[in-house]
Amino acid sequence: MKTLLAGLLAIACSGALIAANELGIDNAKDHNRQQCSGMYSKKGWGGDTDPFILTTLEKAPSDDQDVFVSLVVFEFRDEDLIGVWPSPDAPEKEYICTQANIDKKYCNSTDLGRFILSPNASESRNEILSTKINLKDPKPPKYDIQRTGYYCVGSSPFSDGAEYKGKVEFRNAYGRLPAAQIAKLPFYAGITIAYAVIGIFWAFLYVQNRHDILPVQNYITAIVIFLIVEQLMTWGFYDYQNNHGSNAIAKVLLIIVSILNAGRNSFSFFLLLIVCMGYGVVKPSLGKTMVYVRFLAIAHFVFGVIYAVASLSITPDNAGPLVLFVILPLAGTLTAFYVWTLNSLNYTMKDLLERKQSVKAMMYKKLWWCILASIVVIFGFFFLNSFTFAERSSPDFVPRHWKTRWFILDGWLNLVYMVDIAYVAYLWRPTANNRRFAMSDEIAQDDDGG
């Protein structure tokens, strides 16, 4: 328990810069010298302020010597306009305007200490800002965004032995959310409304037939209410973060959303399993089996929370063999749910067909087709996107897909899940003769009609 609480606190302390769309920049590691992010123009998404990129470097310790850092801000498609090739067969470009490069006529003396731009850089649709910053008095250069695109801030120490550290703020017109995540706001708002509509129809049928409700329908009622709350909280988290940034309240909301998400997964698997076991329609009670199902759901929830904590608090650089102890328990409970659910569904369908309960068997046949269709859609989507992600090693992969990556990684799975929940709710909707249908058997007919 102490480890879990420590992990939850780690969530609150981790990822603050990313959540606020402020990225660190320094020369400690080569990949930290450049930071990039998608940006929307004011017309592209709307908002009250003009979007900009602001780079702030920390002031150097008091010293009489000037310490300069070269800085360039550009749209990714203009990367070829930065630097110059010394010769056609040169292994790499010359990027910084040094005295040696001035002597070679690669740049002008007025650009000393700045990034070298090609002669046709002024023809670009987007401004390329090349400057140098004196760490004795580091004035933050501000870059205004006129067009939607994927923008980068590159840096390099110009003075010998120069060390620097700072942050780059990518501020969009609409607020503080990264541009790659802003589409989640209308998406989760729409999902919340959709679940609310499902809840309204379900509530109408539930109240209308309140004296003839099956136990399994109470579980469906609970998960519909849970989903409305969970999606509303998810939307509220992104809306709050967009308006206020990554403060303490936003971090608390992140913890709540992570726990709710783990709860949704566990509750969903639990509901699907007891439905496939025939609870409420074929069997009035599951007996001790219900206890085991609940234990499995609780275990899956706990492991899901631990996984959420680990994924938010452990960076890929720090991930080691211990990560397996986080993934394996969750994978184990997930596998148990899958195997148990499919076996239960097959057994229930076989039992109903043997007893010639064709109407009930058809319900479970439709559920089987729903599960199969979902699996086909999921694997089909993964297969199609595998061609896209096969290019992820390409430098322009993220710049080309930054607007849609959120949907590929998160959005479409939520849509598939919502369709499945809506279909299960439709199949097991409250009707006027719920209990009579559940507890009665059809009169079996012989094959010859006798």
Side-chain angles (χ1 to χ4, degrees):
M1 180 59 72
K2 291 182 179 179
T3 303
L4 179 59
L5 291 176
L8 290 174
L9 291 175
I11 293 179
C13 299
S14 66
L17 289 178
I18 296 176
N21 209 22
E22 292 181 354
L23 304 177
I25 189 169
D26 57 61
N27 64 329
K29 296 181 179 179
D30 288 342
H31 64 266
N32 289 343
R33 296 188 180 190
Q34 179 169 298
Q35 296 293 353
C36 302
S37 177
M39 293 289 293
Y40 281 103
S41 66
K42 192 172 184 179
K43 292 182 179 179
W45 198 273
D48 299 327
T49 61
D50 295 323
F52 61 85
I53 300 174
L54 186 67
T55 304
T56 305
L57 298 181
E58 295 179 2
K59 188 175 182 180
S62 56
D63 196 339
D64 294 336
Q65 186 177 2
D66 291 329
V67 180
F68 289 99
V69 174
S70 307
L71 196 79
V72 63
V73 186
F74 61 97
E75 208 279 327
F76 188 82
R77 289 173 293 184
D78 295 330
E79 186 180 27
D80 291 339
L81 300 178
I82 300 173
V84 60
W85 292 103
S87 63
D89 57 347
E92 60 182 15
K93 285 184 174 182
E94 290 288 341
Y95 285 100
I96 307 300
C97 186
T98 61
Q99 186 58 52
N101 286 332
I102 293 175
D103 296 339
K104 296 176 183 178
K105 308 298 182 181
Y106 293 158
C107 55
N108 297 321
S109 58
T110 54
D111 295 325
L112 180 66
R114 302 183 180 187
F115 274 83
I116 302 173
L117 303 181
S118 65
N120 60 335
S122 59
E123 300 175 5
S124 172
R125 295 180 61 195
N126 302 289
E127 176 192 2
I128 301 178
L129 174 63
S130 179
T131 185
K132 63 179 178 180
I133 300 175
N134 190 343
L135 296 184
K136 288 181 62 176
D137 183 22
K139 297 179 180 179
K142 184 178 179 182
Y143 181 92
D144 295 321
I145 303 297
Q146 303 297 331
R147 294 179 177 83
T148 298
Y150 191 77
Y151 290 85
C152 296
V153 177
S155 64
S156 179
F158 178 71
S159 302
D160 294 336
E163 294 184 1
Y164 60 92
K165 184 178 181 181
K167 64 181 181 180
V168 181
E169 179 183 4
F170 295 90
R171 181 62 186 269
N172 284 276
Y174 54 77
R176 298 178 181 273
L177 265 181
Q181 295 191 41
I182 187 59
K184 292 182 179 181
L185 265 179
F187 176 80
Y188 281 110
I191 288 284
T192 303
I193 293 172
Y195 279 122
V197 171
I198 293 172
I200 290 171
F201 281 105
W202 180 268
F204 174 78
L205 294 174
Y206 189 95
V207 173
Q208 191 178 41
N209 304 283
R210 59 188 178 277
H211 299 300
D212 208 27
I213 296 298
L214 299 173
V216 70
Q217 291 169 336
N218 289 325
Y219 282 108
I220 296 176
T221 302
I223 197 170
V224 169
I225 295 173
F226 181 89
L227 287 170
I228 295 172
V229 174
E230 191 242 351
Q231 296 300 314
L232 183 62
M233 286 294 300
T234 303
W235 172 84
F237 163 68
Y238 285 112
D239 183 67
Y240 185 89
Q241 184 179 318
N242 184 52
N243 291 321
H244 303 283
S246 182
N247 56 23
I249 296 177
K251 294 166 187 174
V252 171
L253 288 175
L254 176 60
I255 295 173
I256 294 173
V257 168
S258 299
I259 294 174
L260 287 176
N261 184 260
R264 179 185 70 168
N265 294 334
S266 301
F267 200 169
S268 302
F269 284 122
F270 168 79
L271 177 62
L272 183 60
L273 179 53
I274 63 173
V275 164
C276 290
M277 286 180 171
Y279 180 58
V281 175
V282 180
K283 303 173 184 177
S285 173
L286 296 179
K288 288 186 177 181
T289 304
M290 178 63 84
V291 177
Y292 301 141
V293 175
R294 288 172 178 168
F295 278 145
L296 180 60
I298 293 172
H300 189 73
F301 170 72
V302 172
F303 295 143
V305 172
I306 294 174
Y307 177 80
V309 170
S311 63
L312 290 169
S313 57
I314 299 177
T315 62
D317 294 337
N318 297 328
L322 288 177
V323 174
L324 292 176
F325 291 97
V326 175
I327 298 175
L328 289 179
L330 184 64
T333 53
L334 187 62
T335 302
F337 264 122
Y338 278 143
V339 174
W340 203 355
T341 298
L342 293 176
N343 286 340
S344 298
L345 181 57
N346 289 331
Y347 176 82
T348 301
M349 290 174 58
K350 180 181 178 182
D351 178 62
L352 290 172
L353 290 173
E354 288 177 352
R355 294 194 288 119
K356 300 186 184 302
Q357 303 298 302
S358 59
V359 177
K360 293 181 182 180
M362 182 55 65
M363 287 180 60
Y364 284 90
K365 190 70 173 178
K366 290 178 179 178
L367 177 61
W368 186 86
W369 279 111
C370 176
I371 296 174
L372 179 62
S374 299
I375 293 174
V376 170
V377 169
I378 290 172
F379 276 95
F381 201 86
F382 275 125
F383 179 75
L384 293 175
N385 279 285
S386 64
F387 293 102
T388 301
F389 279 97
E391 305 174 5
R392 66 185 182 276
S393 59
S394 173
D396 62 344
F397 174 77
V398 175
R400 286 193 291 113
H401 298 284
W402 66 269
K403 292 182 183 179
T404 56
R405 275 205 311 169
W406 72 271
F407 185 78
I408 295 173
L409 298 174
D410 183 41
W412 71 277
L413 284 174
N414 277 283
L415 292 179
V416 173
Y417 177 84
M418 184 182 68
V419 171
D420 288 343
I421 285 291
Y423 190 67
V424 170
Y426 170 75
L427 290 178
W428 271 261
R429 66 192 182 278
T431 59
N433 299 307
N434 274 329
R435 292 187 180 276
R436 184 182 304 175
F437 172 74
M439 296 299 107
S440 63
D441 287 343
E442 299 175 52
I443 299 176
Q445 301 291 327
D446 296 334
D447 294 337
D448 59 359

